[in-house]
């Protein structure tokens, strides 16, 4: 029997926190593609399912795990709500091998943002990837830009 060639989806996201236009913090964080996300990707290969389209942020601190199906504590108010991402294909290793999702939030309240995820719907939906990181403390007027890249190799 022939052995299947491995098919990996992995990546990272970049976070930029600004106040009054000044860059306060910039980070690169590796992501975790969750089990439901792998099933979503396999379904998309055969033409079923809905493609990831939204980014969500939250205040949860429980480590990301393969079995996650949602953020631990998604922000739903004060400018931190789940948002439709600008989606593009970019090149990591070979032409157009990476899906890129980008959102900039402008806050009207204060949060300690500690998690991010990619989902395929504005409400509910299937989680593709999630990760937790050290707190980024935002206040009203701050912006947080996240560019999430998921590479296929």
């Amino acid at each position: 029997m022939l052995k299947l060639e491995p098919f990996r989806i992995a990546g990272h996201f970049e976070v930029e926190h600004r106040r009054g236009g000044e860059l306060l913090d910039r980070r690169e964080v590796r992501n975790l593609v969750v089990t439901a996300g792998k099933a979503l990707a396999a379904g998309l290969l055969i033409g079923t399912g809905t493609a990831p389209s939204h980014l969500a942020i939250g205040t949860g601190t429980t480590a990301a795990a393969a079995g996650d199906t949602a953020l631990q504590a998604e922000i739903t108010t004060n400018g931190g709500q789940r948002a439709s991402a600008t989606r593009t294909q970019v090149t990591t290793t070979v032409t157009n091998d990476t899906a890129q999702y980008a959102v900039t939030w402008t806050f009207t309240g204060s949060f300690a943002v500690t998690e991010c995820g990619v989902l395929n719907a504005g409400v509910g939906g299937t989680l593709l990837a999630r990760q937790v990181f050290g707190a980024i403390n935002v206040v009203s007027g701050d912006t947080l830009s996240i560019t999430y890249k998921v590479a296929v190799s």
Side-chain angles (χ1 to χ4, degrees), residues 79-133:
Q81 296 90 325
R82 186 182 303 192
S84 180
T86 300
R87 297 178 286 170
T88 55
Q89 280 182 273
V90 297
T91 300
T92 298
T93 305
V94 298
T95 303
N96 293 331
D97 64 345
T98 301
Q100 178 174 284
Y101 307 88
V103 169
T104 296
W105 290 268
T106 301
F107 297 92
T108 59
S110 298
F111 298 99
V113 180
T114 55
E115 62 180 331
C116 180
V118 180
L119 299 105
N120 70 346
V123 176
T126 301
L127 183 67
L128 172 69
R130 173 179 179 254
Q131 194 52 273
V132 175
F133 48 89

Side-chain angles (χ1 to χ4, degrees):
M1 177 182 276
L2 293 176
K3 185 176 178 182
L4 294 176
E5 181 178 335
F7 182 87
R8 287 182 10 119
I9 50 177
H12 73 281
F13 56 95
E14 299 166 359
V15 182
E16 289 188 352
H17 174 207
R18 295 181 185 273
R19 181 171 298 146
E22 179 184 343
L23 181 63
L24 299 179
D25 193 358
R26 184 181 184 289
R27 302 179 188 182
E28 289 191 38
V29 182
R30 294 181 71 74
N31 76 15
L32 173 67
V33 177
V34 299
T35 302
K38 292 175 182 178
L40 173 64
L44 291 170
L45 288 172
I46 61 168
T48 63
T50 302
S53 56
H54 287 71
L55 293 183
I57 54 176
T59 58
T61 57
T62 300
D68 290 345
T69 58
L71 297 188
Q72 179 190 2
E74 185 173 338
I75 296 171
T76 59
T77 62
N78 297 320
Q81 296 90 325
R82 186 182 303 192
S84 180
T86 300
R87 297 178 286 170
T88 55
Q89 280 182 273
V90 297
T91 300
T92 298
T93 305
V94 298
T95 303
N96 293 331
D97 64 345
T98 301
Q100 178 174 284
Y101 307 88
V103 169
T104 296
W105 290 268
T106 301
F107 297 92
T108 59
S110 298
F111 298 99
V113 180
T114 55
E115 62 180 331
C116 180
V118 180
L119 299 105
N120 70 346
V123 176
T126 301
L127 183 67
L128 172 69
R130 173 179 179 254
Q131 194 52 273
V132 175
F133 48 89
I136 297 175
N137 295 303
V138 299
V139 298
S140 184
D142 285 5
T143 62
L144 191 68
S145 298
I146 296 182
T147 302
Y148 218 115
K149 296 179 180 181
V150 180
V152 177
S153 62

